[in-house]
Amino acid sequence: MNKKLLTPFLLLSIFAGCTGEPISGNGNQTSFEARNYNGDINKGFDYWIQAHCHECHGTDMNQGLSPIDPRDLQKTDLDNLVSYIAETMPKAYGIEKCDRECAKHTAQFMMAWVDGSAKIETPAGEVGSTLSCSSDSPVERPELIRLSPTEFANSTKDLLQLDTLPDIGNLSSEERSDGFLFSERITVEYSEAYSVSASQVAADFIANYENFSGCSLPVNETAGANTCAESFVVQLAERAFKIPPNSDVIQSVSAAFNDELQAGDLATAIAASIELILQSPFFLYRPAGPIASSVSNQRADQYLNASRLSYLLTGSLPDDALWSDAKNGTLTNTSLLEHAERILQSDKARDHLTREFLGRWFKVKNASPTRGDMDFDELRALSDDALVFIRNTAWGQEGGLVNLMTRQALGSANTGRLTEDPDRFGIMTQPAWMVNYGLADRTNPIMRGVFFAENLLCRTVPAFDGDVEFPEPQKGLSLRDRLEEHRTNPVCASCHALFDPMGLAFENFDQYGNMRTTDEGNIIDASGVFLTDGEKYSFTTLPELMNFVANSEELRYCTMKNWMAYAYRDEIHPQLSCEEKQLAQSLALDSGFEKMILNMLTQTAFFR
């Protein structure tokens, strides 16, 4: 076979996984019809979008990092194009390898573009598109999720009106994990930890039992005291289980109480019942998404929506006002929104969302476990400072994502306030973020850039399977200069061009987050090129980059994806539902997060 190289494919990119391998063809000048491979053009377009090829090749297939010349495609045949795609395209967005059906349909779509019978448009709901929801494909979300350790502690504290949060022991390690995704299984480890915590809580609660329950705890039990205690335990179970349990469950709770009462005293029976309630699956799981209609009804939906709203905003059980509306059957969509507005004004909600949504999104909630040059208390203090920064920039009339990304200030946990600082520029210039994405002996522009691409823009950065040795330090050579090969070697540039420039933009901050102007005696160059949707944006300073991104549509979609992941405690989905895409297009990034959250509650299927 006469091999002919298609040179434009030698230009490399990331999202489609383009490599430096040549594409081969036999030079036949056959027509599109004659080369038809029985692929489906529409399916090919779907694969093209799923692999984010448009980020690599541009919206018209001839832009971006790796433009494709249609004349080169005309010089190959479909068999060779299918083979090339299958052999050289690595995984992207959940596609392990684009071979077989993926390669066949993608090649068919590309050939249709050559003949003009297919037009590439930015995918619906992505940057620059006009969206129609006529053929929406819903994104699968979980219905029930296990309480996270923080939710378990919050719920137990509120249920029993404790003064402090209960100890969750070794489960705190899960709370130090990144992202929003937790295991939904209750392992032996979890069961033991919950058992120990529930036992300690129950024992401590007895001292406050009379004040909390309104029942007496006499030395010698009386029938009245026993009846009051049993009634109290049943009511506690109803609140803990988030929806009034059926008669069988109530009878089980009552029977367990009475069994313990016969075997011991009233205090023991109460404590044992509390332990039982706190370890019940009805307590340890909560609703996350709309429950299937076959197991739901209008009255139950009100209880479920009350719990979903409360856990979403506060990480705990519904408060008295919200629970009362659900119990009375008056929790309409209107009153649900009113409760959301009320709760979002509370410190409880704003503190929780600061830690569990924004703190996890920007990876500053927890101290970095990899910095051996700093002790845990130092790292924890930096995380607390960063959370104060978020708390004071995200909420209120002047808050919002733009403010969070660009505010020139430092947070201080000692004062709970901000200190204006002209050298800072948003959450990603807080020392906690710099330390989490730095090394003991130097900065880490690669990981800073990868965070930027993955967490702010929701781009997929393919993992590199080879062994890479980082350039050794050389006196007088800046880190930017040491990374020169990332820009000059095409194999490296295929990935690093998409995140190194963003990471190098932060080089004016050392690995501890201190401001600097030189590196190895060289004036730091923070300039770079930001690639978005096949276009290039040149910047010279970090503020220029952050201002551009803070107002970008790409950030809108990533904000929505992170919010949905938080709301359902799920992974970041590559796709959004149609209505979620519509809402992302209209997000006001320069208004307080409470307004954004209310919009996301009322304009998505979260309560439908």
Side-chain angles (χ1 to χ4, degrees), residues 450-474:
V450 168
F451 174 93
F452 201 106
E454 291 185 333
N455 290 73
L456 286 190
L457 308 174
C458 291
R459 296 177 177 178
T460 296
V461 177
F464 183 70
D465 298 328
D467 295 325
V468 178
E469 292 186 4
F470 197 84
E472 291 292 330
Q474 297 183 37

Short mmCIF file of all heavy atoms in Angstrom, two decimals, residues 450-474:
data_model
loop_
_atom_site.label_atom_id
_atom_site.label_comp_id
_atom_site.label_asym_id
_atom_site.label_seq_id
_atom_site.Cartn_x
_atom_site.Cartn_y
_atom_site.Cartn_z
N VAL A 450 -2.75 21.83 36.26
CA VAL A 450 -3.71 20.73 36.14
C VAL A 450 -4.95 21.04 36.97
O VAL A 450 -6.08 20.81 36.53
CB VAL A 450 -3.07 19.40 36.58
CG1 VAL A 450 -4.13 18.31 36.73
CG2 VAL A 450 -2.02 18.96 35.57
N PHE A 451 -4.77 21.55 38.18
CA PHE A 451 -5.92 21.96 38.99
C PHE A 451 -6.76 22.98 38.24
O PHE A 451 -8.00 22.88 38.20
CB PHE A 451 -5.47 22.56 40.32
CG PHE A 451 -6.60 23.13 41.14
CD1 PHE A 451 -7.23 22.37 42.09
CD2 PHE A 451 -7.06 24.44 40.92
CE1 PHE A 451 -8.30 22.88 42.82
CE2 PHE A 451 -8.11 24.96 41.65
CZ PHE A 451 -8.73 24.18 42.61
N PHE A 452 -6.11 23.97 37.66
CA PHE A 452 -6.81 25.02 36.92
C PHE A 452 -7.67 24.41 35.81
O PHE A 452 -8.85 24.74 35.66
CB PHE A 452 -5.77 25.98 36.33
CG PHE A 452 -6.29 27.33 35.98
CD1 PHE A 452 -5.99 28.43 36.75
CD2 PHE A 452 -7.08 27.52 34.85
CE1 PHE A 452 -6.46 29.70 36.42
CE2 PHE A 452 -7.56 28.76 34.51
CZ PHE A 452 -7.25 29.87 35.30
N ALA A 453 -7.07 23.51 35.05
CA ALA A 453 -7.79 22.91 33.92
C ALA A 453 -8.92 22.00 34.38
O ALA A 453 -10.03 22.05 33.85
CB ALA A 453 -6.81 22.13 33.04
N GLU A 454 -8.66 21.16 35.39
CA GLU A 454 -9.64 20.17 35.80
C GLU A 454 -10.72 20.75 36.71
O GLU A 454 -11.90 20.42 36.57
CB GLU A 454 -8.94 19.02 36.53
CG GLU A 454 -8.07 18.17 35.62
CD GLU A 454 -7.47 16.97 36.35
OE1 GLU A 454 -7.29 17.05 37.58
OE2 GLU A 454 -7.18 15.96 35.67
N ASN A 455 -10.35 21.60 37.64
CA ASN A 455 -11.29 22.05 38.66
C ASN A 455 -12.01 23.35 38.31
O ASN A 455 -13.16 23.54 38.72
CB ASN A 455 -10.59 22.22 40.01
CG ASN A 455 -10.18 20.90 40.61
OD1 ASN A 455 -9.23 20.27 40.14
ND2 ASN A 455 -10.88 20.44 41.62
N LEU A 456 -11.36 24.24 37.59
CA LEU A 456 -12.02 25.49 37.21
C LEU A 456 -12.74 25.37 35.87
O LEU A 456 -13.76 26.03 35.65
CB LEU A 456 -11.01 26.63 37.12
CG LEU A 456 -10.47 27.20 38.42
CD1 LEU A 456 -9.68 28.46 38.14
CD2 LEU A 456 -11.58 27.49 39.41
N LEU A 457 -12.20 24.55 34.99
CA LEU A 457 -12.74 24.47 33.63
C LEU A 457 -13.36 23.12 33.32
O LEU A 457 -13.97 22.95 32.27
CB LEU A 457 -11.62 24.76 32.62
CG LEU A 457 -10.85 26.07 32.86
CD1 LEU A 457 -9.69 26.19 31.88
CD2 LEU A 457 -11.76 27.28 32.78
N CYS A 458 -13.22 22.16 34.23
CA CYS A 458 -13.77 20.81 34.05
C CYS A 458 -13.27 20.16 32.77
O CYS A 458 -14.00 19.43 32.10
CB CYS A 458 -15.30 20.83 34.10
SG CYS A 458 -15.97 21.21 35.73
N ARG A 459 -12.03 20.41 32.44
CA ARG A 459 -11.42 19.74 31.30
C ARG A 459 -10.81 18.42 31.78
O ARG A 459 -10.43 18.28 32.94
CB ARG A 459 -10.32 20.61 30.68
CG ARG A 459 -10.84 21.92 30.09
CD ARG A 459 -9.68 22.76 29.57
NE ARG A 459 -10.15 23.99 28.93
CZ ARG A 459 -9.33 24.92 28.43
NH1 ARG A 459 -8.02 24.75 28.50
NH2 ARG A 459 -9.82 26.00 27.86
N THR A 460 -10.70 17.48 30.88
CA THR A 460 -10.08 16.21 31.22
C THR A 460 -8.62 16.23 30.79
O THR A 460 -8.31 16.47 29.62
CB THR A 460 -10.80 15.05 30.52
OG1 THR A 460 -12.13 14.97 31.02
CG2 THR A 460 -10.10 13.73 30.78
N VAL A 461 -7.74 15.99 31.74
CA VAL A 461 -6.31 15.94 31.46
C VAL A 461 -5.89 14.48 31.45
O VAL A 461 -5.90 13.82 32.49
CB VAL A 461 -5.50 16.71 32.52
CG1 VAL A 461 -4.01 16.58 32.24
CG2 VAL A 461 -5.91 18.18 32.52
N PRO A 462 -5.56 13.91 30.29
CA PRO A 462 -5.18 12.49 30.23
C PRO A 462 -3.97 12.19 31.09
O PRO A 462 -3.04 12.99 31.17
CB PRO A 462 -4.87 12.27 28.75
CG PRO A 462 -5.58 13.39 28.03
CD PRO A 462 -5.55 14.55 28.96
N ALA A 463 -4.01 11.06 31.75
CA ALA A 463 -2.87 10.65 32.56
C ALA A 463 -1.72 10.23 31.65
O ALA A 463 -1.93 9.64 30.59
CB ALA A 463 -3.27 9.50 33.48
N PHE A 464 -0.50 10.55 32.07
CA PHE A 464 0.67 10.16 31.29
C PHE A 464 1.20 8.86 31.86
O PHE A 464 1.47 8.74 33.05
CB PHE A 464 1.74 11.25 31.36
CG PHE A 464 2.95 10.95 30.52
CD1 PHE A 464 2.85 10.97 29.13
CD2 PHE A 464 4.15 10.61 31.09
CE1 PHE A 464 3.95 10.69 28.34
CE2 PHE A 464 5.26 10.33 30.31
CZ PHE A 464 5.16 10.37 28.93
N ASP A 465 1.34 7.84 31.00
CA ASP A 465 1.72 6.51 31.45
C ASP A 465 3.23 6.30 31.53
O ASP A 465 3.69 5.34 32.13
CB ASP A 465 1.12 5.45 30.52
CG ASP A 465 -0.40 5.49 30.53
OD1 ASP A 465 -0.96 5.82 31.57
OD2 ASP A 465 -1.00 5.19 29.48
N GLY A 466 4.00 7.19 30.92
CA GLY A 466 5.45 6.97 30.88
C GLY A 466 6.15 7.49 32.12
O GLY A 466 5.56 8.09 33.01
N ASP A 467 7.46 7.26 32.19
CA ASP A 467 8.29 7.75 33.28
C ASP A 467 8.90 9.08 32.87
O ASP A 467 9.54 9.18 31.81
CB ASP A 467 9.40 6.75 33.61
CG ASP A 467 8.84 5.45 34.16
OD1 ASP A 467 7.82 5.52 34.88
OD2 ASP A 467 9.41 4.38 33.87
N VAL A 468 8.73 10.09 33.71
CA VAL A 468 9.25 11.43 33.41
C VAL A 468 10.15 11.87 34.55
O VAL A 468 9.77 11.80 35.71
CB VAL A 468 8.11 12.45 33.22
CG1 VAL A 468 8.69 13.82 32.94
CG2 VAL A 468 7.21 12.02 32.08
N GLU A 469 11.36 12.30 34.21
CA GLU A 469 12.26 12.84 35.21
C GLU A 469 12.19 14.36 35.15
O GLU A 469 12.41 14.95 34.09
CB GLU A 469 13.69 12.36 34.96
CG GLU A 469 13.89 10.87 35.18
CD GLU A 469 15.34 10.48 35.05
OE1 GLU A 469 16.20 11.38 34.87
OE2 GLU A 469 15.64 9.28 35.12
N PHE A 470 11.88 14.98 36.29
CA PHE A 470 11.80 16.43 36.30
C PHE A 470 13.21 17.01 36.17
O PHE A 470 14.16 16.48 36.76
CB PHE A 470 11.16 16.90 37.62
CG PHE A 470 10.68 18.31 37.55
CD1 PHE A 470 9.43 18.60 37.03
CD2 PHE A 470 11.47 19.35 38.01
CE1 PHE A 470 8.98 19.90 36.95
CE2 PHE A 470 11.03 20.65 37.94
CZ PHE A 470 9.79 20.93 37.41
N PRO A 471 13.37 18.06 35.36
CA PRO A 471 14.71 18.63 35.14
C PRO A 471 15.38 19.02 36.47
O PRO A 471 14.75 19.62 37.33
CB PRO A 471 14.43 19.86 34.27
CG PRO A 471 13.13 19.57 33.61
CD PRO A 471 12.34 18.76 34.59
N GLU A 472 16.63 18.66 36.62
CA GLU A 472 17.38 18.98 37.83
C GLU A 472 17.58 20.49 37.95
O GLU A 472 17.72 21.19 36.93
CB GLU A 472 18.74 18.28 37.81
CG GLU A 472 18.67 16.77 37.94
CD GLU A 472 18.20 16.35 39.31
OE1 GLU A 472 18.47 17.08 40.29
OE2 GLU A 472 17.56 15.29 39.41
N PRO A 473 17.61 21.02 39.18
CA PRO A 473 17.87 22.45 39.36
C PRO A 473 19.24 22.84 38.82
O PRO A 473 20.20 22.08 38.93
CB PRO A 473 17.81 22.63 40.89
CG PRO A 473 17.08 21.43 41.40
CD PRO A 473 17.38 20.32 40.46
N GLN A 474 19.29 23.98 38.19
CA GLN A 474 20.55 24.52 37.71
C GLN A 474 20.65 25.97 38.14
O GLN A 474 19.70 26.73 37.99
CB GLN A 474 20.64 24.43 36.18
CG GLN A 474 20.61 23.01 35.63
CD GLN A 474 20.76 23.00 34.12
OE1 GLN A 474 21.51 23.79 33.56
NE2 GLN A 474 20.06 22.09 33.47
#
